[in-house]
Amino acid sequence: MSQQTGTSRRTVLAAAAAATTAGAVGLQAGPAAARDGAAAGPTAQEPPRELRAVLREIDHRRIEATVRRLAAFGTRHTLSSQDDPVRGIGAARDWILAEMRRHARPSGGRMSVELQSYVQEPGPRVPTPARITNVVATLRGSASPDRLYVVSGHYDSRASDVMDFTSDAPGADDDASGVALVMELARVLATRRLGATLVFAAVAGEEQGLLGAAHMAEQFKQRKADVQAMFTNDIVGSSTADDGTRDPRTIRLFAEGVPSSETPEEAAVRRSVGGENDSPSRQLARFVQDVAVNDATGMRVRVVYRRDRYLRGGDHIPFLERAYPAARFTEPAEDFAHQHQDVRVVDGKQYGDLPEFCDFPFVARVARVNAATLWSLAQAPGTPRGAKILTAALTNETELVWERGTEADLAGYEIVWRETTDADWTHVIDVGDTTRHTVELSKDNVFFGVRAVGRSGLRSPVAFPAPQR
C-alpha cells in the first residue's frame, strides 16, 4: 500500500456505495444543472480569473463579420478559382491569411502564420490535379512548446452537387462558422502567454474528402509531432433545428470509443480488460466537460459516443487514423435545408447556407467552450505517459505506475476511478508527486485513470492505463 494513502478497502468500498447514492440524486438534478451551464462532478475544474478574462473577450459581432465576409466570396468550392481576387477559394484563402497575420501582430512574435499547400492528384471528387491550401497560425508555447493542441474549421464550401464549383455556395454554417470561431480564438489568445503550443487551422478540401486535414495530420505524423488533442468545429453556426425548435445552450461533441488507429494487438488487450469507453478521445470529451461546462461559458456539452454523425465524417478523422486524440464539435440539431444546398426558393421556402440562418451569439458561446478547453490544456501539464496497471501477481489491490512529466510546474498526480457502468469519473485520489501508487480496490470491478496536476491547480486529461505483467 502506498505511503500516500491511509484508506482501507472498507473505506474505499464505503465511498463507492456513497457515490452510487449520490449518483442517483445527481441524475435527477443533472438536467437542470446542465441547462444552467453549471459544471458538476469530482473532476470538474473551476475557470480561473485569467480564463474568465479570455472568455469575455470573445465577440459575436466579430464572428458575424467573418462569416458574412466568407459568404460574400460567392463560392469557396475547392475546385473554384485560385486566382480571382473577389470570388472563389483563392480569394477566401488570401483574406483568411491576411486576417490571421493581423491577429498575430500583437503576439510579440509568438504567433506565426503560414500557407500549407500541396497538389492533390486526381481521385474521387477531384477530377484534375488541384492545389489544396491550409491557412495555419501557430502560437508557440513558452514552457512546453513541443506539446501541441490543434483546433480547425474548413473554409471550403459546396452546393447541392459536390462537383459544382461555379454556382453560389455561401457556406455560412458549413463551415464559415467554424472558421470564424477559429479565427476569433486566434485573435483573443494571440496576446496570451501559454505553456504549450496552440495551432489554429483553416483547412480546405473537406467537402472533397477531408483532403486538407489529412495533409496537415500527415505532416504532423511525419515530423513525429506531439499532438495531444485536436478539435474540429464543423457546422457550429445555428441553434435552430429543421422543425424550428431552438437549443441555444447545447453543443454536441462527437468522440469515438474504439480507436480508429487500433492495432490487432491493442484490440485483443481491450477485449480482455475493457476500455471501449476509455479511448483518448473519450478522455478528451470528459476533459471538455470538466473545464468548459460552467457559468463562464453558459453551455452544455452533449457528448455523443460516436466518431461522427451517423455514417458521416469530418476533419478530425485523419487525426484519429494517425493515433492523435481528436473530436468534433457540431450544433445540437442540423437543418439540412441550409447546408449542401443550392441557393433557391421553393414554394416560399428559402434553401441555401446563408448567414441569415446563423445564430452568432451561439457561435460565440461555442467559441468559449473551445477557448476554455484549449487554454486549460495549454496551461496544465500534459497527459501522463506510460500509465500501467501492474498485473504480474494476483491481488485484490491495484498498483498503478506512470512516467513523470518534464513540466517545470508539475506538482503531482491524481488517480481517478469509477464503476464500470459509469460514464464519468466519480472518485479522485491525490497521490502527490510520485510515479507509483496502490489503491485498495480490485481492478476487476472498476476502471482507473491517472491525471497530472500543475502548481496552479490545473489538471491534465486522464490517461487510461494499460496492463503490464
Side-chain angles (χ1 to χ4, degrees):
M1 179 172 172
S2 171
Q3 296 296 317
Q4 279 78 25
T5 179
T7 56
S8 66
R9 186 175 296 111
R10 180 179 300 170
T11 303
V12 173
L13 293 176
T20 300
T21 302
V25 174
L27 286 175
Q28 297 173 359
R35 283 195 300 271
D36 293 339
T43 58
Q45 303 185 53
E46 179 69 17
R49 180 182 302 176
E50 183 182 352
L51 174 54
R52 289 179 179 273
V54 168
L55 301 184
R56 284 194 297 269
E57 285 191 30
I58 292 172
D59 187 344
H60 72 87
R61 294 164 298 184
R62 289 178 178 271
I63 290 172
E64 178 177 359
T66 298
V67 169
R68 292 188 180 280
R69 184 66 190 92
L70 289 170
F73 288 109
T75 179
R76 304 188 306 278
H77 193 285
T78 298
L79 305 180
S80 63
S81 174
Q82 298 266 350
D83 51 17
D84 188 316
V86 297
R87 181 181 175 88
I89 195 165
R93 172 202 64 214
D94 294 345
W95 182 81
I96 295 169
L97 176 65
E99 287 295 291
M100 286 292 217
R101 284 177 171 167
R102 185 167 64 86
H103 295 336
R105 288 184 196 128
S107 73
R110 296 188 307 279
M111 180 181 282
S112 60
V113 184
E114 64 178 344
L115 294 178
Q116 184 184 77
S117 188
Y118 78 105
V119 174
Q120 174 66 45
E121 294 303 320
R125 298 190 177 188
V126 181
T128 59
R131 181 163 295 278
I132 310 295
T133 303
N134 303 324
V135 184
V136 181
T138 302
L139 180 60
R140 185 174 175 81
S142 58
S144 302
D146 294 332
R147 175 159 50 98
L148 307 180
Y149 300 100
V150 181
V151 61
S152 80
H154 71 87
Y155 71 98
D156 60 305
S157 65
R158 59 165 288 185
S160 297
D161 179 357
V162 72
M163 301 304 292
D164 178 359
F165 59 88
T166 59
S167 297
D168 282 351
D173 191 2
D174 184 14
D175 184 36
S177 64
V179 174
L181 180 156
V182 169
M183 293 173 69
E184 180 68 356
L185 294 183
R187 181 189 72 84
V188 171
L189 291 170
T191 59
R192 266 68 183 192
R193 291 189 176 274
L194 303 177
T197 294
L198 299 183
V199 179
F200 308 91
V203 301
E206 193 271 350
E207 303 290 6
Q208 308 310 114
L210 315 180
L211 302 177
H215 178 72
M216 180 168 58
E218 184 61 23
Q219 293 300 301
F220 283 129
K221 181 182 178 181
Q222 290 299 321
R223 70 176 201 241
K224 296 181 170 58
D226 183 20
V227 178
Q228 294 202 5
M230 184 273 184
F231 297 97
T232 190
N233 287 266
D234 193 353
I235 312 178
V236 294
S238 175
S239 59
T240 304
D242 52 3
D243 63 358
T245 59
R246 297 186 66 243
D247 189 357
R249 297 285 174 175
T250 299
I251 186 68
R252 287 185 292 173
L253 180 61
F254 290 87
E256 72 173 11
V258 176
S260 296
S261 62
E262 187 177 70
T263 66
E265 293 76 17
E266 290 167 338
V269 171
R270 175 180 51 76
R271 286 192 294 268
S272 67
V273 304
E276 291 82 2
N277 196 20
D278 281 284
S279 66
S281 296
R282 292 281 165 86
Q283 307 303 347
L284 275 186
R286 294 183 179 112
F287 182 88
V288 172
Q289 290 188 311
D290 281 347
V291 301
V293 179
N294 50 56
D295 65 319
T297 66
M299 289 292 281
R300 170 180 177 256
V301 177
R302 179 182 182 181
V303 177
V304 182
Y305 286 170
R306 282 197 171 102
R307 184 172 73 169
D308 207 314
R309 299 143 306 154
Y310 204 79
L311 297 179
R312 299 163 74 191
D315 284 328
H316 59 308
I317 292 177
F319 283 79
L320 292 169
E321 292 171 340
R322 290 161 178 81
Y324 290 129
R328 174 192 178 126
F329 286 108
T330 296
E331 63 198 27
E334 297 171 71
D335 185 341
F336 300 105
H338 300 144
Q339 60 175 269
H340 295 189
Q341 293 282 345
D342 290 340
V343 179
R344 66 196 190 282
V345 177
V346 179
D347 296 330
K349 180 179 176 64
Q350 177 71 65
Y351 288 82
D353 192 353
L354 299 165
E356 64 201 68
F357 298 114
C358 288
D359 176 350
F360 299 109
F362 171 78
V363 185
R365 287 191 293 274
V366 179
R368 292 186 185 99
V369 169
N370 278 260
T373 301
L374 293 165
W375 185 93
S376 299
L377 286 167
Q379 300 295 60
T383 305
R385 298 183 185 278
K388 305 285 186 183
I389 290 178
L390 302 185
T391 61
L394 291 175
T395 172
N396 283 320
E397 298 175 334
T398 302
E399 186 174 9
L400 296 99
V401 298
W402 56 91
E403 300 171 12
R404 192 183 190 282
T406 59
E407 295 89 353
D409 67 339
L410 180 63
Y413 293 89
E414 294 174 341
I415 289 174
V416 297
W417 63 272
R418 71 181 197 274
E419 294 289 333
T420 61
T421 52
D422 286 333
D424 299 312
W425 302 111
T426 56
H427 292 72
V428 180
I429 304 170
D430 182 0
V431 300
D433 192 358
T434 182
T435 58
R436 181 182 296 259
H437 188 85
T438 299
V439 182
E440 290 198 345
L441 193 62
S442 174
K443 53 191 164 290
D444 294 341
N445 301 331
V446 301
F447 287 132
F448 290 97
V450 181
R451 67 178 184 175
V453 184
R455 290 176 185 166
S456 66
L458 294 173
R459 273 77 171 168
S460 75
V462 169
F464 187 68
Q468 176 176 299
R469 294 189 180 277

